[in-house]
Amino acid sequence: MPTLPQSLESLVTSIIPATRDNSRYRNELVSHCEDILSSHIGQNQEPDLGYLADKVKRHLLQTSPSGVASLKFTNLLSRFLDQPVLSRKHATLLFLQSLASSRQTATATSFLPSLAPPPPPRHSSSPSPVEPSPTTRQPKGKSKAEILREYRAKIGRSHLPEQPLLRDALYLLQGISGKYVHFNLNDDANSEDTLVFVEDPRYIIAPPTKALIHRLSEVGYLYTRVESFVRESEASTGVGMIEQSLCHHLQSQLTEYYRLIAILESQMASKRTRVDENRTSDDDQLGEESGLTLRRLDVWINEWRLRMRMMSVCVEGARDAHGGALVNLIHGYADNGDPFVRKFTDQLLEEVSKPFFATLHKWLFSGELYDPFSEFFVALDPNVAHLQYVHPSSLAGGIGQLSGDGGFAGLGGDADDVTGTRDGGLRLWETKYQFQKDMLPMFVGESFGKKIFSTGKSLNFIRYSCHDSDWVVTREKMSNTGGTLKYSDISGLERSIDAAYLTASHRLFEVFIEKFKLLDHLCALKNYLMLGHGDFADQLMEALGPSLTRPANTLYRHNLTATLETAIRSSNAEKDPSDVLRRLDARMLEYSHGEIGWDVFTLEYKVDAPIDTVLDPDSMEKYLKLFRHLWQMKRIEGALNIGWMRIAGGARNFLRVPELEFEWHKIRLVMAEMIHFIRQLQAYCHLEVIECSWKILIDFLNKKEGDLDALIEAHRSYLNRMVKKILLLSPKTGKEETVLTQVKDIFSIILQFREATDNFYNYCLSESSRRDEKLDADRGVVTGRGVREDSGKHSTETLDGLLERLKEYGSSFSERAQTIVQHLQVHPDLDCRFLGIRLSFSDFYRSKKEHSQKS
Amino acid sequence: MSTRESDHISSAQQTLEILFEMSELLNTQLDRETLATCVGMIEHGANPEALAAVIQELRRESSALNAQTTAAVGTR
């Protein structure tokens, strides 16, 4: 076997015959050739046989487009590969190929332009960073890149081969620093993490490769962030369930990612082994083609880059958001035109929203809030969480005791107890659970969120406050068969929410109306506190009237309650259910010195849980206010009735004082005016206000729509409407009670007038009896004590005073009535304006005013 | 000469034949002898591309020599 220099020598002599006799020249050439051979030309070229063959074929196709040559070459190649002799077939082929391609360029330049198309630029930009073109000493014809490459080869800093870089890149993808490329991870979160290339004097890394590695390392960087988040959350306690499921999803995604990395790595390894194997089999061509390069890696990883970005964004969001807000955040990415992003987000949401829907299911169908990490959009107020409603059945003894000795119990303690428990009802309902808008997932929608909130609240209320848990449990069982709630089935979710909402609110109405007889209580309030039962009110007025005129401090509660009992028993009221009657109570308000019974007396209606959710203490306060006003009106009416009976009947029969007839006539006129006034006022209150409002409320109750909130709202508006209209309140600030005070004034004027007429009546009575006596004395019959002359003179003074007062009261009543009518005519409320018209039906007050203006 | 050896030689011949045909096809303008030398060198571990460069270099050298001689002849 010839050695290398021998072979070279024979080559030199065969190619350049002139060297045969010139040994110096030959030796020079041989040593030069040895130099070339020992250089690194083309070392980086990957031994890819398939690629090489392909290149040759393409080359052949260009030189002879018929395809015969390339076909022939394929044939030859397969035969060549079958030969067992040579061990380095690839190298041989490469040799031929490089010689062929360089020949072609050489011929193209040195001879006539060939007919074949010029070599494609692909030749000069082969995938390896180093062009396998020959390095020559000849200075001309070299490009700048060639010069640079030559320079690099000379100083020994060639490009770093791709293989180690590939390995590094795979490390980078896992967030590990490689040999040539490092992550510069900063502990400080604010400063940016950077990528550092190791400065090695022997190698350089080309800028395009650097850019590629930068792109690849982005994935690695994102991966570290996601991975550290997952690890942190797994390590820490008290992480919400939604976050946990987010972590789980991320973890499974990361596992996928690991799988990809593993595949890539095995491919890289297999490529290296195949280099050694490729002499044995020729299916390696495929394997060679699927070998890994940085660019291929980039393509492989491309999809993951997007996915990692999404995950990293979620992770970033998860740091500040919590629970429902987190779901919301992820949902924010679901509306994306990119199908990939959309799909990814949908998957993520499906996973992440599972605990949310579990909580939702529990809340929606059993009214239980199971939310240990407070991620749901319904939050429990910790202050009232421990409170439970006080239920009548659990307090049966207490109630019995209340009804038994309620009448005799003192004012103080009992009332306090009642208000103590009363406070609970509405407050509990309103504050036990809170709606948190920012935690509500957007895909549910706010109106549905409200429905869910209200449904769960109703169920909870039914369960704990109405002690109707059986129903809730049955419902829960039924709902379990209906399938689970999930993100991908939003319409189904909405249906279930609607259904659950309807049943829950329906049930709540049923419970309130049938079990707790809300309607009975409302009726009772209307009948007793608003004097709907006329006979009862009359009886009560009759029985209480005399004692109420006494000073307040002489009244005792037990007397009042006893009178109340009498009134109930002697009227139709006794037919009401006993449950209602035992709640009715009479009591006195706090009184101050000088007040009489009328001022402090009030009826009271006691409610307990859970009815007090609707009839809350505030409402009861309003009912009491209404009662006092109506009761006052009733009193005036009664007083006027009695007065009228006296002057209409009695005065005619036995008051025979002819010169005072005219005065009586005037009194009758004024009184008729007063009676008209009070009658109209009463009719207005009862017919136009109370009954109309009642009808609205009953209509609402019969519809059985809406939840407890709506019920509370309906009752509240019913009550407010009555308060506003009965008390003739005006919406103008600062003038709310102008009319009311005038009405109250007019009431007191009427009472004073009543008193004055009584006095006048008494005067007339004594006057007429005096005259009778005088007549008797004239006839000679002595009846009584005899006539005192001075009394007549004295009585004329009294008479003048009496008439004076009567006139004064009459005219001030008229004036007041007139102002009231004026006020009412411009009242913003239409019903109040109608009252004004009723009061001055024939323009009585206006004409009177004009009359007084004229005069 | 054993049959095994002759087999070996014949197969080597065959391989060389194939390679020569390929070389023809690729228009490398190598004769059989040079080709055999080159293949032998490659078999012994020579860098194929470098070897190709050597061939190129030598050819260029030879053509330069020829040009010199023809020029000399022309001037003469």
Side-chain angles (χ1 to χ4, degrees):
Chain A
M1 272 284 150
T3 58
L4 189 66
Q6 277 170 338
S7 312
L8 267 178
E9 214 175 299
S10 69
L11 262 184
V12 167
T13 49
S14 73
I15 293 175
I16 314 173
T19 54
R20 280 185 195 144
D21 30 296
N22 190 345
S23 67
R24 196 186 58 85
Y25 183 41
R26 188 175 65 219
N27 288 342
E28 193 183 313
L29 276 179
V30 167
S31 70
H32 174 54
C33 290
E34 275 175 345
D35 275 357
I36 296 176
L37 277 179
S38 57
S39 77
H40 291 284
I41 296 176
Q43 292 284 40
N44 296 329
Q45 180 87 8
E46 352 153 16
D48 187 342
L49 198 64
Y51 174 68
L52 202 57
D54 198 40
K55 217 165 141 187
V56 171
K57 275 181 217 162
R58 244 177 291 164
H59 172 75
L60 284 174
L61 270 178
Q62 263 161 19
T63 47
S64 61
S66 65
V68 181
S70 93
L71 211 63
K72 198 173 166 193
F73 176 76
T74 318
N75 186 22
L76 280 174
L77 185 68
S78 63
R79 270 167 63 198
F80 172 60
L81 289 173
D82 283 341
Q83 293 299 317
V85 180
L86 294 181
S87 60
R88 299 188 43 169
K89 286 180 181 125
H90 172 262
T92 317
L93 207 60
L94 182 62
F95 166 70
L96 288 178
Q97 189 264 331
S98 48
L99 207 56
S101 57
S102 58
R103 274 280 328 151
Q104 202 205 16
T105 42
T107 51
T109 46
S110 58
F111 294 103
L112 287 169
S114 73
L115 288 172
R122 186 169 27 81
H123 282 287
S124 54
S125 66
S126 75
S128 108
V130 176
E131 177 95 4
S133 69
T135 335
T136 60
R137 276 178 304 175
Q138 268 185 330
K140 49 181 175 182
K142 278 197 284 188
S143 67
K144 290 242 165 64
E146 278 170 333
I147 296 167
L148 194 60
R149 201 170 302 119
E150 205 172 84
Y151 166 72
R152 278 187 193 135
K154 206 180 265 172
I155 63 166
R157 284 187 65 172
S158 64
H159 282 290
L160 191 64
E162 197 167 351
Q163 202 59 40
L165 274 180
L166 204 53
R167 174 137 292 275
D168 274 9
L170 275 183
Y171 281 137
L172 287 178
L173 287 181
Q174 299 162 74
I176 307 167
S177 292
K179 191 173 168 196
Y180 299 100
V181 191
H182 284 287
F183 271 120
N184 189 13
L185 292 174
N186 283 309
D187 292 336
D188 187 7
N190 293 329
S191 56
E192 302 245 308
D193 294 347
T194 51
L195 202 62
V196 176
F197 292 93
V198 174
E199 292 292 333
D200 190 327
R202 283 169 301 161
Y203 294 110
I204 52 161
I205 300 167
T209 320
K210 277 190 185 176
L212 202 58
I213 289 179
H214 261 293
R215 273 158 58 85
L216 289 172
S217 66
E218 184 199 341
V219 183
Y221 169 67
L222 294 175
Y223 161 79
T224 28
R225 279 178 33 164
V226 173
E227 205 247 346
S228 68
F229 170 78
V230 170
R231 233 176 318 132
E232 269 171 37
S233 334
E234 270 169 2
S236 64
T237 51
V239 175
M241 289 200 291
I242 290 180
E243 217 168 315
Q244 281 167 7
S245 72
L246 173 70
C247 278
H248 171 257
H249 186 74
L250 290 181
Q251 188 62 57
S252 64
Q253 289 283 322
L254 286 184
T255 314
E256 286 286 310
Y257 180 67
Y258 294 145
R259 190 167 297 151
L260 176 73
I261 298 253
I263 290 171
L264 290 175
E265 206 157 11
S266 74
Q267 216 164 62
M268 192 176 73
S270 80
K271 197 197 82 178
R272 249 181 292 142
T273 53
R274 272 175 191 171
V275 172
D276 310 325
E277 284 168 3
N278 66 358
R279 66 190 71 148
T280 51
S281 75
D282 53 352
D283 357 296
D284 284 335
Q285 285 181 33
L286 281 171
E288 295 290 358
E289 275 185 338
S290 61
L292 203 60
T293 65
L294 276 178
R295 263 159 235 278
R296 282 183 189 164
L297 190 62
D298 190 41
V299 174
W300 274 105
I301 228 73
N302 213 5
E303 191 197 318
W304 272 97
R305 180 173 296 126
L306 206 53
R307 212 175 275 193
M308 277 291 179
R309 278 185 193 154
M310 298 286 310
M311 277 153 78
S312 145
V313 165
C314 292
V315 164
E316 279 307 293
R319 283 189 209 282
D320 341 302
H322 178 67
L326 181 58
V327 177
N328 242 350
L329 183 95
I330 299 171
H331 184 254
Y333 300 108
D335 296 328
N336 199 309
D338 186 344
F340 172 78
V341 176
R342 207 165 47 223
K343 206 172 132 241
F344 178 82
T345 322
D346 277 356
Q347 264 177 12
L348 187 60
L349 267 185
E350 181 76 33
E351 287 281 330
V352 164
S353 56
K354 260 179 200 161
F356 169 79
F357 280 112
T359 317
L360 179 65
H361 191 271
K362 201 117 183 64
W363 172 252
L364 198 57
F365 293 118
S366 57
E368 294 265 29
L369 184 65
Y370 178 70
D371 186 17
F373 302 105
S374 55
E375 293 171 304
F376 204 52
F377 61 88
V378 178
L380 181 69
D381 189 340
N383 294 328
V384 289
H386 63 280
L387 282 181
Q388 289 296 349
Y389 289 96
V390 190
H391 185 254
S393 65
S394 64
L395 267 183
I399 295 289
Q401 188 195 357
L402 197 88
S403 60
D405 67 359
F408 306 100
L411 267 174
D414 190 10
D416 277 355
D417 281 349
V418 172
T419 46
T421 51
R422 259 187 197 172
D423 254 359
L426 188 66
R427 199 164 67 94
L428 201 58
W429 166 257
E430 278 176 349
T431 58
K432 188 171 177 189
Y433 293 109
Q434 237 117 39
F435 187 75
Q436 285 179 310
K437 207 180 150 202
D438 52 336
M439 293 297 244
L440 176 71
M442 272 181 284
F443 54 80
V444 177
E446 200 182 335
S447 62
F448 272 108
K450 290 264 188 236
K451 272 189 181 174
I452 295 170
F453 175 62
S454 144
T455 309
K457 226 164 79 158
S458 305
L459 286 176
N460 191 283
F461 189 80
I462 292 174
R463 189 167 196 159
Y464 290 108
S465 309
C466 309
H467 293 255
D468 194 7
S469 51
D470 289 349
W471 180 77
V472 177
V473 170
T474 338
R475 275 269 307 141
E476 195 186 352
K477 275 182 195 146
M478 274 162 59
S479 73
N480 276 342
T481 57
T484 50
L485 304 172
K486 56 183 185 212
Y487 169 69
S488 48
D489 186 19
I490 290 289
S491 59
L493 172 71
E494 285 172 359
R495 265 200 311 280
S496 339
I497 292 172
D498 272 338
Y501 177 74
L502 272 184
T503 26
S505 49
H506 217 90
R507 178 66 193 177
L508 198 63
F509 267 73
E510 264 174 41
V511 166
F512 260 100
I513 291 172
E514 277 161 27
K515 188 168 174 190
F516 295 106
K517 310 229 180 303
L518 179 66
L519 211 52
D520 285 2
H521 293 299
L522 286 176
C523 264
L525 281 169
K526 175 171 163 275
N527 287 341
Y528 296 110
L529 285 196
M530 291 190 291
L531 311 178
H533 275 334
D535 56 341
F536 163 78
D538 279 344
Q539 287 290 340
L540 190 65
M541 181 69 67
E542 216 167 88
L544 273 178
S547 56
L548 286 183
T549 47
R550 288 197 305 230
N553 53 4
T554 60
L555 288 175
Y556 294 100
R557 190 161 172 233
H558 55 264
N559 290 337
L560 295 181
T561 43
T563 328
L564 179 67
E565 291 276 309
T566 323
I568 289 172
R569 229 165 281 142
S570 56
S571 70
N572 262 330
E574 69 173 338
K575 296 201 170 80
D576 270 350
S578 59
D579 179 51
V580 166
L581 291 180
R582 73 180 161 78
R583 290 165 193 274
L584 201 59
D585 190 21
R587 70 184 180 96
M588 288 182 294
L589 303 171
E590 295 289 311
Y591 52 82
S592 55
H593 182 71
E595 282 183 319
I596 56 166
W598 288 107
D599 298 322
V600 294
F601 169 76
T602 184
L603 270 185
E604 198 179 45
Y605 194 79
K606 285 173 182 154
V607 285
D608 41 35
I611 288 289
D612 66 346
T613 314
V614 178
L615 303 174
D616 58 308
D618 278 354
S619 309
M620 296 319 285
E621 200 65 39
K622 283 176 185 160
Y623 274 119
L624 288 190
K625 208 167 165 186
L626 283 179
F627 167 76
R628 287 219 301 282
H629 190 70
L630 291 170
W631 181 244
Q632 184 82 354
M633 226 181 263
K634 191 85 190 164
R635 175 191 172 199
I636 304 293
E637 190 209 358
L640 281 177
N641 279 350
I642 295 165
W644 180 255
M645 258 145 65
R646 233 180 229 179
I647 54 174
R652 274 207 192 122
N653 291 339
F654 45 87
L655 296 182
R656 304 195 183 281
V657 190
E659 68 271 21
L660 292 177
E661 271 307 317
F662 182 61
E663 295 301 328
W664 277 115
H665 181 66
K666 281 201 283 188
I667 287 173
R668 276 196 290 272
L669 281 180
V670 172
M671 203 167 242
E673 201 180 325
M674 286 174 176
I675 289 171
H676 168 77
F677 179 84
I678 210 81
R679 285 264 161 86
Q680 291 306 325
L681 204 57
Q682 271 189 318
Y684 160 78
C685 288
H686 285 284
L687 294 178
E688 286 185 25
V689 181
I690 297 177
E691 288 303 330
C692 290
S693 312
W694 177 250
K695 188 173 182 307
I696 294 171
L697 183 67
I698 289 298
D699 281 351
F700 172 79
L701 287 177
N702 287 340
K703 263 196 301 187
K704 292 194 178 179
E705 268 169 28
D707 54 355
L708 188 55
D709 273 326
L711 180 61
I712 293 174
E713 195 43 51
H715 175 253
R716 207 170 270 170
S717 70
Y718 155 76
L719 194 56
N720 283 345
R721 190 183 141 104
M722 287 195 300
V723 168
K724 213 174 79 192
K725 295 195 175 185
I726 288 181
L727 300 184
L728 302 171
L729 298 180
S730 140
K732 281 182 213 153
T733 45
K735 285 186 176 179
E736 287 96 343
E737 297 201 338
T738 332
V739 186
L740 180 65
T741 39
Q742 300 212 350
V743 170
K744 278 185 176 160
D745 278 354
I746 236 172
F747 285 169
S748 61
I749 289 171
I750 290 175
L751 286 177
Q752 281 167 330
F753 180 77
R754 219 344 275 285
E755 215 171 309
T757 46
D758 277 356
N759 288 341
F760 186 57
Y761 176 83
N762 288 339
Y763 170 79
C764 284
L765 202 61
S766 60
E767 180 67 21
S768 71
S769 63
R770 195 179 61 81
R771 288 190 188 184
D772 280 352
E773 270 177 40
K774 203 176 166 193
L775 280 177
D776 287 346
D778 287 350
R779 274 191 274 148
V781 183
V782 179
T783 54
R785 296 158 294 175
V787 183
R788 285 164 292 178
E789 284 303 314
D790 61 324
S791 67
K793 197 179 170 192
H794 175 70
S795 61
T796 34
E797 284 167 21
T798 343
L799 180 66
D800 286 345
L802 281 174
L803 288 177
E804 187 66 30
R805 258 183 291 153
L806 276 175
K807 201 178 163 203
E808 189 190 315
Y809 291 140
S811 60
S812 72
F813 170 81
S814 247
E815 273 167 33
R816 282 293 149 84
Q818 204 170 322
T819 14
I820 287 172
V821 167
Q822 272 173 16
H823 276 292
L824 287 178
Q825 272 164 353
V826 294
H827 201 278
D829 193 294
L830 214 59
D831 284 332
C832 295
R833 231 181 275 178
F834 275 128
L835 173 67
I837 292 169
R838 287 174 78 143
L839 286 178
S840 133
F841 191 69
S842 51
D843 272 351
F844 175 74
Y845 287 105
R846 200 176 76 195
S847 55
K848 199 167 183 184
K849 186 177 155 202
E850 280 162 8
H851 187 75
S852 63
Q853 273 170 352
K854 261 182 233 163
S855 61
Chain B
M1 204 182 268
S2 69
T3 50
R4 194 167 157 270
E5 210 167 321
S6 68
D7 271 4
H8 186 79
I9 286 174
S10 74
S11 73
Q13 213 98 51
Q14 221 178 335
T15 312
L16 195 62
E17 205 56 43
I18 294 168
L19 277 175
F20 184 67
E21 262 185 72
M22 273 178 159
S23 154
E24 291 277 276
L25 202 62
L26 286 168
N27 194 21
T28 54
Q29 292 175 348
L30 290 169
D31 53 16
R32 247 176 243 267
E33 197 190 336
T34 323
L35 184 62
T37 318
C38 290
V39 170
M41 282 170 81
I42 288 167
E43 275 304 291
H44 282 89
N47 179 353
E49 281 173 83
L51 191 59
V54 166
I55 303 286
Q56 293 282 337
E57 189 67 23
L58 288 175
R59 279 188 183 148
R60 197 174 289 127
E61 197 71 25
S62 136
S63 68
L65 264 178
N66 284 344
Q68 266 175 19
T69 50
T70 47
V73 169
T75 49
R76 220 175 276 160

